Amino acid sequence: MAAVSFRWILQLHKDVPKAARFYSEGLDYSVNVCTLRWAELQSGSVKLALMHSPNDHIVQKGYSSMLSFTVTDINSTVTKLIALGAELDGPIKYEIHGKVAAMRCMDGHVLGLYEPV
């Protein structure tokens, strides 16, 4: 019986190099490959693949994958991501276990941020 391993998460984007820059500069992903149509990024053992989409309807609001990231400073991460084209999807929340925020990247994909206490 063959072993199964997780390969990567795929997202569709209008501008692959811009999306690769967003994840590399905003969330410290390493860029392994980046062309106009395809990019592969990595953080630890997690690989994120970005592929060019030829249409304008990449993500419909509410119907996107959600990538969740643990960060050391949610405020500075939110500031970096906004500068790279993201938008907050509601306020930063201060929960008992830490701070949480939801953001949308330039193509509408949802990102969850978590800063533990």
Side-chain angles (χ1 to χ4, degrees):
M1 188 127 162
V4 176
S5 64
F6 186 78
R7 187 168 174 201
W8 36 250
I9 299 163
L10 174 71
Q11 285 188 333
L12 300 176
H13 286 273
K14 293 180 214 171
D15 185 333
V16 170
K18 184 177 180 180
R21 182 174 165 249
F22 176 82
Y23 285 104
S24 67
E25 292 181 14
L27 294 164
D28 298 325
Y29 266 67
S30 299
V31 179
N32 297 337
V33 175
C34 185
T35 70
L36 292 176
R37 299 187 50 74
W38 179 262
E40 287 183 19
L41 295 89
Q42 190 162 352
S43 178
S45 63
V46 176
K47 287 188 179 181
L48 177 61
L50 311 174
M51 189 170 78
H52 179 259
S53 175
N55 66 36
D56 291 334
H57 304 298
I58 291 174
V59 175
Q60 296 176 0
K61 284 217 182 252
Y63 297 99
S64 170
S65 60
M66 178 175 173
L67 303 179
S68 183
F69 301 92
T70 300
V71 298
T72 55
D73 183 346
I74 203 165
N75 294 321
S76 68
T77 303
V78 165
T79 301
K80 274 196 297 188
L81 294 176
I82 287 173
L84 291 165
E87 296 178 357
L88 266 171
D89 194 7
I92 296 173
K93 295 181 182 170
Y94 299 84
E95 305 291 342
I96 217 164
H97 53 80
K99 299 177 193 174
V100 294
M103 301 191 77
R104 287 190 180 269
C105 76
M106 66 293 256
D107 285 322
H109 296 289
V110 180
L111 308 175
L113 302 177
Y114 172 63
E115 179 188 327
V117 182

